[in-house]
Amino acid sequence: MTLRILNVNDMLDLKTGGGTAERTFQMSRFLARQGASCEVLTINTGHLDAQRIDALQPARVLVLSCLLRRFKIPRWRSATIRRAVEDADIVHLMGHWSVLNVIVYLAARRAGKPYVVCPAGALPLFGRSRWLKWFYNFIIGYSIVRNASGWIAVTEGEYPQFEVYGVLRSRVTVIPNGVSAEDFPSVDIAEFKRRHGLPDAPTILFMGRLNPIKGPDLLLQAFLISRQVFPEHHLVFAGPDGGMLAKLRETAERSGMGEMVHFIGYIGGADKSAAYRMADLLVVPSRQEAMSIVAIEAGICGVPVLLTDQCGFGEIRAIDERLEVPVSVSGIAGGLVSLLSEPDVLEKLAPTWASFVDCKFSWKALVPEYLKLYQRILSGSIR
């Protein structure tokens, strides 16, 4: 009998959804490839296009229109949502601060359907709108987490976050983020650089939204205070504006290093592969992150990474301790100096990191873990 899965994420496009959107996209696609009947319920906030939907096949997509973008509130289609829930054997809720998750949770409870939650690092009261998040949890957020039939963490670092919500760490299944090599083919890097006005020079890359939680300001300051050690390197920011672009540009220009710092905006598809492959080093300066997807994407492209100790990727220290640094300007600057001051360091690290990613984070290897968890829930071995 075919397992029917309903995956729920209020954002499926990469521009606004980021890492959780990519996780939902990939796990849904590979679940369907392994024979499950998989449907994704999402909201179109204005950036979800037909190409992204088609690429998800053989999984299907059920798209709701957006009523209020600020809080990602969908236009209420109770019959559609009820039918999607009732047609599923199990429901998978991605993220936490989500009106869509609330609607589906209530429908699942009414229909008596088991569901699992994967907050992907979203459980703490971090970032903007903390009082709204507290109110959300008080009204329904705690109940969504506690009443689940299964709990998925991206890393073991999320265990304490689940415990705050009353879920013992022994009941949480860890399934890390994954990557698919087919999504990152070899491309014409020279043409990509010409199109974006980038020089033929050594490159440090930032990939992600330009907002405080991702730490682009930390990276820029670290680059500016340490670049005399690696004066030929340019810094490239690739990602949509999350409220910091103007300030970052101003900082770069005021330092007199504007010609060494480049902002190319959001990129996807083949351009994303080109950006990784042109880079000598990817830096992930996040202030908080469950597990960095861009780090493993860079790895599958053979590019070494430097991460902060808030990226949920402590295991990278087994490859080289210099690859993880404190989440501070001085910490990141120190990491840049240690990796870029010697010419052969990155060349030696790149193949080791690529092999590590390929072995541990392939979606083909990770998706069976979802199926095992779902089957245990449906068989009654997890209560």
Side-chain angles (χ1 to χ4, degrees), residues 91-155:
V91 177
H92 184 290
L93 301 179
M94 178 66 74
H96 182 59
W97 314 109
S98 166
V99 174
L100 182 60
N101 279 12
V102 172
I103 297 170
V104 175
Y105 161 72
L106 294 174
R109 295 284 283 178
R110 284 194 296 268
K113 295 288 182 176
Y115 70 94
V116 300
V117 294
C118 179
L123 291 179
L125 296 177
F126 187 88
R128 63 181 182 177
S129 304
R130 292 193 182 193
W131 71 271
L132 280 177
K133 291 178 179 178
W134 179 90
F135 186 70
Y136 175 96
N137 272 347
F138 179 76
I139 296 298
I140 201 165
Y142 282 113
S143 296
I144 293 176
V145 176
R146 290 170 178 165
N147 291 331
S149 299
W151 302 266
I152 298 175
V154 177
T155 71

Short mmCIF file of all heavy atoms in Angstrom, two decimals, residues 91-155:
data_model
loop_
_atom_site.label_atom_id
_atom_site.label_comp_id
_atom_site.label_asym_id
_atom_site.label_seq_id
_atom_site.Cartn_x
_atom_site.Cartn_y
_atom_site.Cartn_z
N VAL A 91 0.90 13.60 8.32
CA VAL A 91 1.15 15.01 7.98
C VAL A 91 2.48 15.43 8.58
O VAL A 91 2.82 15.04 9.71
CB VAL A 91 0.02 15.90 8.53
CG1 VAL A 91 0.32 17.38 8.25
CG2 VAL A 91 -1.33 15.50 7.93
N HIS A 92 3.25 16.20 7.81
CA HIS A 92 4.56 16.68 8.24
C HIS A 92 4.53 18.21 8.25
O HIS A 92 4.35 18.85 7.21
CB HIS A 92 5.63 16.18 7.26
CG HIS A 92 7.03 16.52 7.64
ND1 HIS A 92 7.53 17.80 7.59
CD2 HIS A 92 8.06 15.74 8.08
CE1 HIS A 92 8.80 17.80 7.97
NE2 HIS A 92 9.14 16.57 8.28
N LEU A 93 4.69 18.80 9.45
CA LEU A 93 4.68 20.26 9.60
C LEU A 93 6.11 20.78 9.69
O LEU A 93 6.86 20.40 10.60
CB LEU A 93 3.92 20.67 10.85
CG LEU A 93 2.45 20.25 10.96
CD1 LEU A 93 1.85 20.74 12.28
CD2 LEU A 93 1.64 20.79 9.79
N MET A 94 6.49 21.66 8.77
CA MET A 94 7.82 22.25 8.77
C MET A 94 7.76 23.65 9.38
O MET A 94 6.82 24.42 9.11
CB MET A 94 8.36 22.33 7.35
CG MET A 94 9.74 22.97 7.23
SD MET A 94 11.05 22.00 8.02
CE MET A 94 11.21 20.67 6.80
N GLY A 95 8.77 24.01 10.18
CA GLY A 95 8.80 25.32 10.81
C GLY A 95 7.93 25.34 12.06
O GLY A 95 7.46 24.31 12.55
N HIS A 96 7.70 26.54 12.57
CA HIS A 96 6.88 26.65 13.78
C HIS A 96 5.99 27.88 13.78
O HIS A 96 4.79 27.77 14.04
CB HIS A 96 7.79 26.66 15.01
CG HIS A 96 7.04 26.73 16.31
ND1 HIS A 96 6.11 25.75 16.67
CD2 HIS A 96 7.05 27.65 17.31
CE1 HIS A 96 5.59 26.07 17.85
NE2 HIS A 96 6.14 27.22 18.26
N TRP A 97 6.53 29.05 13.48
CA TRP A 97 5.75 30.29 13.57
C TRP A 97 4.94 30.44 12.29
O TRP A 97 5.25 31.26 11.44
CB TRP A 97 6.68 31.48 13.79
CG TRP A 97 7.70 31.24 14.86
CD1 TRP A 97 9.03 31.06 14.70
CD2 TRP A 97 7.45 31.14 16.26
NE1 TRP A 97 9.64 30.85 15.91
CE2 TRP A 97 8.70 30.90 16.89
CE3 TRP A 97 6.30 31.24 17.05
CZ2 TRP A 97 8.82 30.75 18.26
CZ3 TRP A 97 6.44 31.09 18.42
CH2 TRP A 97 7.67 30.85 19.02
N SER A 98 3.88 29.66 12.17
CA SER A 98 3.18 29.54 10.89
C SER A 98 1.67 29.46 11.10
O SER A 98 1.18 28.55 11.78
CB SER A 98 3.68 28.30 10.15
OG SER A 98 2.83 27.96 9.09
N VAL A 99 0.95 30.37 10.47
CA VAL A 99 -0.51 30.32 10.50
C VAL A 99 -1.01 29.09 9.74
O VAL A 99 -1.97 28.43 10.16
CB VAL A 99 -1.11 31.61 9.88
CG1 VAL A 99 -2.63 31.50 9.77
CG2 VAL A 99 -0.73 32.83 10.71
N LEU A 100 -0.34 28.75 8.65
CA LEU A 100 -0.73 27.56 7.89
C LEU A 100 -0.58 26.31 8.73
O LEU A 100 -1.44 25.41 8.69
CB LEU A 100 0.12 27.45 6.61
CG LEU A 100 -0.22 26.28 5.69
CD1 LEU A 100 -1.66 26.35 5.21
CD2 LEU A 100 0.74 26.24 4.50
N ASN A 101 0.48 26.22 9.52
CA ASN A 101 0.65 25.07 10.41
C ASN A 101 -0.50 24.97 11.40
O ASN A 101 -0.97 23.88 11.73
CB ASN A 101 1.97 25.17 11.16
CG ASN A 101 3.15 24.70 10.33
OD1 ASN A 101 3.03 24.50 9.13
ND2 ASN A 101 4.30 24.55 10.96
N VAL A 102 -0.96 26.11 11.91
CA VAL A 102 -2.10 26.11 12.84
C VAL A 102 -3.34 25.54 12.18
O VAL A 102 -4.04 24.69 12.74
CB VAL A 102 -2.38 27.54 13.36
CG1 VAL A 102 -3.68 27.57 14.16
CG2 VAL A 102 -1.22 28.04 14.20
N ILE A 103 -3.62 26.02 10.97
CA ILE A 103 -4.82 25.56 10.26
C ILE A 103 -4.76 24.05 10.01
O ILE A 103 -5.73 23.32 10.23
CB ILE A 103 -4.96 26.32 8.93
CG1 ILE A 103 -5.15 27.82 9.18
CG2 ILE A 103 -6.13 25.77 8.11
CD1 ILE A 103 -5.07 28.67 7.93
N VAL A 104 -3.59 23.58 9.55
CA VAL A 104 -3.44 22.14 9.26
C VAL A 104 -3.46 21.33 10.54
O VAL A 104 -4.03 20.22 10.59
CB VAL A 104 -2.15 21.89 8.45
CG1 VAL A 104 -1.93 20.40 8.25
CG2 VAL A 104 -2.22 22.60 7.10
N TYR A 105 -2.85 21.84 11.59
CA TYR A 105 -2.87 21.14 12.88
C TYR A 105 -4.30 20.92 13.36
O TYR A 105 -4.67 19.80 13.77
CB TYR A 105 -2.10 21.97 13.91
CG TYR A 105 -2.41 21.62 15.35
CD1 TYR A 105 -1.95 20.44 15.92
CD2 TYR A 105 -3.16 22.49 16.15
CE1 TYR A 105 -2.24 20.13 17.25
CE2 TYR A 105 -3.45 22.20 17.48
CZ TYR A 105 -2.98 21.01 18.03
OH TYR A 105 -3.27 20.70 19.33
N LEU A 106 -5.14 21.94 13.29
CA LEU A 106 -6.53 21.81 13.72
C LEU A 106 -7.28 20.81 12.85
O LEU A 106 -8.08 20.01 13.35
CB LEU A 106 -7.21 23.18 13.69
CG LEU A 106 -6.67 24.21 14.68
CD1 LEU A 106 -7.32 25.57 14.45
CD2 LEU A 106 -6.89 23.76 16.12
N ALA A 107 -6.99 20.84 11.54
CA ALA A 107 -7.64 19.89 10.63
C ALA A 107 -7.18 18.46 10.92
O ALA A 107 -7.98 17.51 10.88
CB ALA A 107 -7.33 20.26 9.18
N ALA A 108 -5.90 18.29 11.23
CA ALA A 108 -5.38 16.95 11.53
C ALA A 108 -5.97 16.42 12.83
O ALA A 108 -6.30 15.23 12.93
CB ALA A 108 -3.86 17.00 11.62
N ARG A 109 -6.13 17.28 13.82
CA ARG A 109 -6.73 16.84 15.09
C ARG A 109 -8.18 16.42 14.89
O ARG A 109 -8.63 15.41 15.45
CB ARG A 109 -6.64 17.97 16.11
CG ARG A 109 -5.23 18.35 16.51
CD ARG A 109 -4.61 17.36 17.46
NE ARG A 109 -5.12 17.52 18.81
CZ ARG A 109 -4.78 16.75 19.84
NH1 ARG A 109 -3.97 15.74 19.65
NH2 ARG A 109 -5.28 16.97 21.04
N ARG A 110 -8.91 17.20 14.09
CA ARG A 110 -10.31 16.84 13.82
C ARG A 110 -10.42 15.53 13.07
O ARG A 110 -11.33 14.72 13.32
CB ARG A 110 -10.99 17.96 13.05
CG ARG A 110 -11.36 19.18 13.88
CD ARG A 110 -12.31 20.09 13.14
NE ARG A 110 -11.70 20.64 11.94
CZ ARG A 110 -11.06 21.81 11.91
NH1 ARG A 110 -10.94 22.53 13.01
NH2 ARG A 110 -10.53 22.24 10.79
N ALA A 111 -9.48 15.30 12.13
CA ALA A 111 -9.53 14.09 11.31
C ALA A 111 -8.86 12.89 11.98
O ALA A 111 -8.93 11.78 11.46
CB ALA A 111 -8.86 14.37 9.96
N GLY A 112 -8.23 13.12 13.14
CA GLY A 112 -7.55 12.03 13.82
C GLY A 112 -6.32 11.54 13.08
O GLY A 112 -5.95 10.36 13.18
N LYS A 113 -5.65 12.45 12.36
CA LYS A 113 -4.47 12.07 11.58
C LYS A 113 -3.20 12.33 12.39
O LYS A 113 -3.05 13.38 13.02
CB LYS A 113 -4.40 12.89 10.29
CG LYS A 113 -5.55 12.63 9.32
CD LYS A 113 -5.42 11.25 8.68
CE LYS A 113 -6.55 11.02 7.67
NZ LYS A 113 -6.39 9.73 6.97
N PRO A 114 -2.26 11.38 12.36
CA PRO A 114 -0.98 11.62 13.04
C PRO A 114 -0.16 12.65 12.28
O PRO A 114 -0.25 12.76 11.06
CB PRO A 114 -0.31 10.24 13.01
CG PRO A 114 -0.88 9.57 11.80
CD PRO A 114 -2.31 10.05 11.71
N TYR A 115 0.64 13.41 13.01
CA TYR A 115 1.49 14.40 12.35
C TYR A 115 2.82 14.47 13.07
O TYR A 115 2.94 14.13 14.25
CB TYR A 115 0.81 15.77 12.31
CG TYR A 115 0.69 16.46 13.64
CD1 TYR A 115 1.66 17.37 14.08
CD2 TYR A 115 -0.40 16.21 14.49
CE1 TYR A 115 1.55 18.00 15.31
CE2 TYR A 115 -0.51 16.83 15.71
CZ TYR A 115 0.47 17.73 16.13
OH TYR A 115 0.37 18.34 17.34
N VAL A 116 3.84 14.88 12.33
CA VAL A 116 5.16 15.11 12.91
C VAL A 116 5.52 16.58 12.73
O VAL A 116 5.00 17.25 11.82
CB VAL A 116 6.24 14.22 12.25
CG1 VAL A 116 5.91 12.75 12.42
CG2 VAL A 116 6.40 14.55 10.77
N VAL A 117 6.38 17.07 13.61
CA VAL A 117 6.83 18.46 13.51
C VAL A 117 8.34 18.49 13.31
O VAL A 117 9.08 17.72 13.95
CB VAL A 117 6.44 19.29 14.74
CG1 VAL A 117 4.94 19.44 14.84
CG2 VAL A 117 7.00 18.69 16.02
N CYS A 118 8.78 19.37 12.44
CA CYS A 118 10.20 19.61 12.22
C CYS A 118 10.42 21.12 12.24
O CYS A 118 10.32 21.79 11.20
CB CYS A 118 10.67 19.02 10.88
SG CYS A 118 12.43 19.32 10.54
N PRO A 119 10.69 21.70 13.41
CA PRO A 119 10.82 23.16 13.50
C PRO A 119 12.05 23.71 12.78
O PRO A 119 12.10 24.90 12.45
CB PRO A 119 10.92 23.41 15.00
CG PRO A 119 10.40 22.16 15.64
CD PRO A 119 10.75 21.05 14.72
N ALA A 120 13.07 22.86 12.57
CA ALA A 120 14.30 23.28 11.89
C ALA A 120 14.93 24.49 12.58
O ALA A 120 15.31 25.47 11.95
CB ALA A 120 14.05 23.57 10.42
N GLY A 121 15.01 24.42 13.90
CA GLY A 121 15.66 25.48 14.67
C GLY A 121 14.80 26.67 15.01
O GLY A 121 15.29 27.65 15.58
N ALA A 122 13.50 26.60 14.70
CA ALA A 122 12.63 27.77 14.86
C ALA A 122 11.98 27.90 16.22
O ALA A 122 11.26 28.87 16.47
CB ALA A 122 11.55 27.75 13.78
N LEU A 123 12.18 26.96 17.13
CA LEU A 123 11.45 26.98 18.40
C LEU A 123 11.82 28.12 19.35
O LEU A 123 10.96 28.63 20.06
CB LEU A 123 11.62 25.63 19.11
CG LEU A 123 10.93 24.43 18.46
CD1 LEU A 123 11.22 23.16 19.26
CD2 LEU A 123 9.43 24.65 18.32
N PRO A 124 13.07 28.55 19.42
CA PRO A 124 13.40 29.63 20.38
C PRO A 124 12.74 30.96 20.02
O PRO A 124 12.45 31.23 18.85
CB PRO A 124 14.94 29.75 20.26
CG PRO A 124 15.39 28.46 19.67
CD PRO A 124 14.28 28.02 18.76
N LEU A 125 12.50 31.76 21.03
CA LEU A 125 11.97 33.11 20.82
C LEU A 125 13.12 34.03 20.44
O LEU A 125 13.68 34.75 21.27
CB LEU A 125 11.28 33.62 22.10
CG LEU A 125 10.05 32.85 22.56
CD1 LEU A 125 9.53 33.42 23.87
CD2 LEU A 125 8.96 32.90 21.51
N PHE A 126 13.49 33.99 19.16
CA PHE A 126 14.66 34.72 18.68
C PHE A 126 14.24 35.63 17.53
O PHE A 126 13.34 35.30 16.76
CB PHE A 126 15.74 33.74 18.19
CG PHE A 126 17.05 34.40 17.82
CD1 PHE A 126 18.03 34.61 18.78
CD2 PHE A 126 17.30 34.80 16.51
CE1 PHE A 126 19.23 35.21 18.44
CE2 PHE A 126 18.49 35.41 16.17
CZ PHE A 126 19.47 35.61 17.14
N GLY A 127 14.89 36.78 17.43
CA GLY A 127 14.62 37.68 16.30
C GLY A 127 13.46 38.62 16.59
O GLY A 127 13.12 38.92 17.73
N ARG A 128 12.83 39.08 15.51
CA ARG A 128 11.80 40.10 15.64
C ARG A 128 10.48 39.52 16.14
O ARG A 128 10.27 38.31 16.12
CB ARG A 128 11.57 40.78 14.29
CG ARG A 128 11.06 39.85 13.19
CD ARG A 128 10.90 40.61 11.88
NE ARG A 128 10.36 39.74 10.84
CZ ARG A 128 10.07 40.16 9.61
NH1 ARG A 128 10.28 41.42 9.29
NH2 ARG A 128 9.58 39.32 8.72
N SER A 129 9.58 40.40 16.57
CA SER A 129 8.21 40.04 16.99
C SER A 129 8.19 39.01 18.12
O SER A 129 7.40 38.08 18.10
CB SER A 129 7.41 39.51 15.78
OG SER A 129 7.40 40.44 14.72
N ARG A 130 9.04 39.20 19.11
CA ARG A 130 9.09 38.21 20.19
C ARG A 130 7.78 38.13 20.96
O ARG A 130 7.38 37.04 21.38
CB ARG A 130 10.24 38.55 21.15
CG ARG A 130 11.61 38.38 20.54
CD ARG A 130 12.69 38.42 21.60
NE ARG A 130 14.02 38.30 21.01
CZ ARG A 130 15.12 38.06 21.71
NH1 ARG A 130 15.04 37.92 23.02
NH2 ARG A 130 16.29 37.98 21.12
N TRP A 131 7.13 39.28 21.16
CA TRP A 131 5.88 39.23 21.93
C TRP A 131 4.80 38.51 21.15
O TRP A 131 3.97 37.80 21.74
CB TRP A 131 5.43 40.63 22.32
CG TRP A 131 4.92 41.48 21.18
CD1 TRP A 131 5.66 42.30 20.38
CD2 TRP A 131 3.57 41.58 20.72
NE1 TRP A 131 4.86 42.90 19.43
CE2 TRP A 131 3.56 42.48 19.63
CE3 TRP A 131 2.37 41.00 21.13
CZ2 TRP A 131 2.40 42.80 18.94
CZ3 TRP A 131 1.20 41.32 20.43
CH2 TRP A 131 1.24 42.22 19.36
N LEU A 132 4.80 38.64 19.81
CA LEU A 132 3.83 37.89 18.99
C LEU A 132 4.12 36.40 19.06
O LEU A 132 3.19 35.57 19.11
CB LEU A 132 3.89 38.37 17.54
CG LEU A 132 3.15 39.66 17.20
CD1 LEU A 132 3.37 40.04 15.74
CD2 LEU A 132 1.65 39.51 17.49
N LYS A 133 5.40 36.04 19.07
CA LYS A 133 5.77 34.63 19.15
C LYS A 133 5.37 34.05 20.51
O LYS A 133 4.89 32.91 20.60
CB LYS A 133 7.27 34.46 18.90
CG LYS A 133 7.68 34.75 17.46
CD LYS A 133 9.18 34.63 17.27
CE LYS A 133 9.56 34.89 15.82
NZ LYS A 133 11.02 34.82 15.59
N TRP A 134 5.58 34.85 21.57
CA TRP A 134 5.15 34.38 22.90
C TRP A 134 3.65 34.15 22.91
O TRP A 134 3.18 33.13 23.45
CB TRP A 134 5.52 35.42 23.96
CG TRP A 134 5.09 35.02 25.35
CD1 TRP A 134 5.81 34.32 26.26
CD2 TRP A 134 3.82 35.31 25.95
NE1 TRP A 134 5.07 34.13 27.41
CE2 TRP A 134 3.85 34.72 27.25
CE3 TRP A 134 2.67 35.98 25.54
CZ2 TRP A 134 2.77 34.81 28.11
CZ3 TRP A 134 1.59 36.06 26.41
CH2 TRP A 134 1.65 35.49 27.69
N PHE A 135 2.89 35.05 22.34
CA PHE A 135 1.44 34.92 22.30
C PHE A 135 1.03 33.71 21.46
O PHE A 135 0.12 32.96 21.83
CB PHE A 135 0.82 36.21 21.72
CG PHE A 135 -0.68 36.23 21.77
CD1 PHE A 135 -1.36 36.36 22.96
CD2 PHE A 135 -1.42 36.12 20.58
CE1 PHE A 135 -2.75 36.37 23.00
CE2 PHE A 135 -2.80 36.14 20.61
CZ PHE A 135 -3.47 36.26 21.83
N TYR A 136 1.70 33.51 20.33
CA TYR A 136 1.43 32.35 19.46
C TYR A 136 1.63 31.06 20.25
O TYR A 136 0.78 30.16 20.22
CB TYR A 136 2.37 32.41 18.26
CG TYR A 136 2.32 31.22 17.32
CD1 TYR A 136 1.53 31.26 16.18
CD2 TYR A 136 3.09 30.08 17.55
CE1 TYR A 136 1.50 30.18 15.30
CE2 TYR A 136 3.06 29.01 16.68
CZ TYR A 136 2.27 29.06 15.55
OH TYR A 136 2.24 27.99 14.68
N ASN A 137 2.74 30.97 20.97
CA ASN A 137 2.99 29.76 21.76
C ASN A 137 1.95 29.59 22.86
O ASN A 137 1.48 28.47 23.12
CB ASN A 137 4.38 29.81 22.39
CG ASN A 137 5.44 29.24 21.48
OD1 ASN A 137 5.14 28.58 20.49
ND2 ASN A 137 6.71 29.49 21.81
N PHE A 138 1.60 30.67 23.52
CA PHE A 138 0.63 30.60 24.61
C PHE A 138 -0.73 30.10 24.11
O PHE A 138 -1.38 29.27 24.77
CB PHE A 138 0.46 31.98 25.24
CG PHE A 138 -0.53 32.03 26.37
CD1 PHE A 138 -0.22 31.53 27.62
CD2 PHE A 138 -1.80 32.57 26.16
CE1 PHE A 138 -1.14 31.56 28.66
CE2 PHE A 138 -2.73 32.61 27.19
CZ PHE A 138 -2.40 32.11 28.44
N ILE A 139 -1.15 30.58 22.96
CA ILE A 139 -2.46 30.19 22.42
C ILE A 139 -2.45 28.79 21.85
O ILE A 139 -3.33 27.97 22.14
CB ILE A 139 -2.91 31.21 21.34
CG1 ILE A 139 -3.13 32.59 21.97
CG2 ILE A 139 -4.19 30.73 20.65
CD1 ILE A 139 -4.19 32.64 23.02
N ILE A 140 -1.41 28.45 21.02
CA ILE A 140 -1.47 27.17 20.32
C ILE A 140 -0.12 26.54 20.02
O ILE A 140 -0.02 25.33 19.81
CB ILE A 140 -2.26 27.33 18.99
CG1 ILE A 140 -2.79 25.97 18.52
CG2 ILE A 140 -1.41 28.05 17.92
CD1 ILE A 140 -3.85 26.08 17.45
N GLY A 141 0.97 27.32 20.00
CA GLY A 141 2.27 26.79 19.60
C GLY A 141 2.74 25.62 20.43
O GLY A 141 3.21 24.60 19.90
N TYR A 142 2.63 25.74 21.77
CA TYR A 142 3.04 24.64 22.64
C TYR A 142 2.22 23.38 22.36
O TYR A 142 2.75 22.27 22.37
CB TYR A 142 2.89 25.04 24.11
CG TYR A 142 4.00 25.93 24.61
CD1 TYR A 142 3.74 27.24 24.98
CD2 TYR A 142 5.31 25.46 24.74
CE1 TYR A 142 4.76 28.07 25.45
CE2 TYR A 142 6.33 26.28 25.20
CZ TYR A 142 6.05 27.58 25.55
OH TYR A 142 7.05 28.40 26.00
N SER A 143 0.94 23.55 22.11
CA SER A 143 0.08 22.40 21.84
C SER A 143 0.46 21.70 20.55
O SER A 143 0.44 20.46 20.47
CB SER A 143 -1.39 22.85 21.77
OG SER A 143 -1.82 23.36 23.01
N ILE A 144 0.80 22.47 19.50
CA ILE A 144 1.20 21.87 18.23
C ILE A 144 2.40 20.96 18.43
O ILE A 144 2.46 19.84 17.92
CB ILE A 144 1.52 22.96 17.19
CG1 ILE A 144 0.24 23.72 16.81
CG2 ILE A 144 2.16 22.35 15.95
CD1 ILE A 144 0.49 24.89 15.86
N VAL A 145 3.38 21.43 19.20
CA VAL A 145 4.58 20.64 19.41
C VAL A 145 4.30 19.44 20.31
O VAL A 145 4.66 18.30 19.99
CB VAL A 145 5.71 21.51 20.01
CG1 VAL A 145 6.94 20.66 20.32
CG2 VAL A 145 6.07 22.63 19.04
N ARG A 146 3.63 19.66 21.43
CA ARG A 146 3.42 18.58 22.41
C ARG A 146 2.52 17.47 21.90
O ARG A 146 2.70 16.30 22.25
CB ARG A 146 2.83 19.17 23.69
CG ARG A 146 3.80 20.02 24.49
CD ARG A 146 3.09 20.76 25.60
NE ARG A 146 4.01 21.54 26.42
CZ ARG A 146 3.63 22.47 27.27
NH1 ARG A 146 2.34 22.75 27.41
NH2 ARG A 146 4.52 23.15 27.96
N ASN A 147 1.53 17.81 21.08
CA ASN A 147 0.55 16.81 20.66
C ASN A 147 0.97 16.02 19.43
O ASN A 147 0.21 15.19 18.94
CB ASN A 147 -0.80 17.50 20.38
CG ASN A 147 -1.45 18.01 21.63
OD1 ASN A 147 -1.26 17.46 22.72
ND2 ASN A 147 -2.23 19.08 21.51
N ALA A 148 2.17 16.28 18.91
CA ALA A 148 2.63 15.57 17.71
C ALA A 148 2.85 14.09 17.99
O ALA A 148 3.02 13.67 19.14
CB ALA A 148 3.91 16.20 17.20
N SER A 149 2.83 13.30 16.94
CA SER A 149 3.13 11.87 17.04
C SER A 149 4.61 11.59 16.85
O SER A 149 5.08 10.50 17.18
CB SER A 149 2.33 11.09 15.99
OG SER A 149 0.95 11.26 16.18
N GLY A 150 5.34 12.57 16.30
CA GLY A 150 6.77 12.41 16.09
C GLY A 150 7.43 13.78 16.00
O GLY A 150 6.78 14.78 15.66
N TRP A 151 8.72 13.82 16.32
CA TRP A 151 9.46 15.09 16.35
C TRP A 151 10.78 14.89 15.62
O TRP A 151 11.50 13.92 15.88
CB TRP A 151 9.72 15.53 17.79
CG TRP A 151 8.46 15.69 18.59
CD1 TRP A 151 7.76 16.84 18.79
CD2 TRP A 151 7.76 14.67 19.30
NE1 TRP A 151 6.65 16.60 19.57
CE2 TRP A 151 6.63 15.28 19.89
CE3 TRP A 151 7.96 13.30 19.48
CZ2 TRP A 151 5.71 14.55 20.66
CZ3 TRP A 151 7.05 12.57 20.24
CH2 TRP A 151 5.95 13.21 20.83
N ILE A 152 11.09 15.81 14.73
CA ILE A 152 12.32 15.72 13.94
C ILE A 152 13.18 16.94 14.20
O ILE A 152 12.72 18.08 14.10
CB ILE A 152 12.02 15.62 12.43
CG1 ILE A 152 11.22 14.35 12.12
CG2 ILE A 152 13.31 15.64 11.61
CD1 ILE A 152 10.78 14.23 10.67
N ALA A 153 14.44 16.70 14.56
CA ALA A 153 15.42 17.76 14.73
C ALA A 153 16.42 17.69 13.58
O ALA A 153 16.68 16.61 13.04
CB ALA A 153 16.15 17.62 16.06
N VAL A 154 16.97 18.83 13.23
CA VAL A 154 17.99 18.87 12.18
C VAL A 154 19.35 18.49 12.76
O VAL A 154 20.16 17.87 12.09
CB VAL A 154 18.03 20.27 11.53
CG1 VAL A 154 19.12 20.37 10.49
CG2 VAL A 154 16.68 20.59 10.90
N THR A 155 19.58 18.87 14.02
CA THR A 155 20.81 18.49 14.72
C THR A 155 20.47 18.19 16.18
O THR A 155 19.40 18.55 16.68
CB THR A 155 21.87 19.62 14.70
OG1 THR A 155 21.43 20.68 15.57
CG2 THR A 155 22.08 20.15 13.30
#
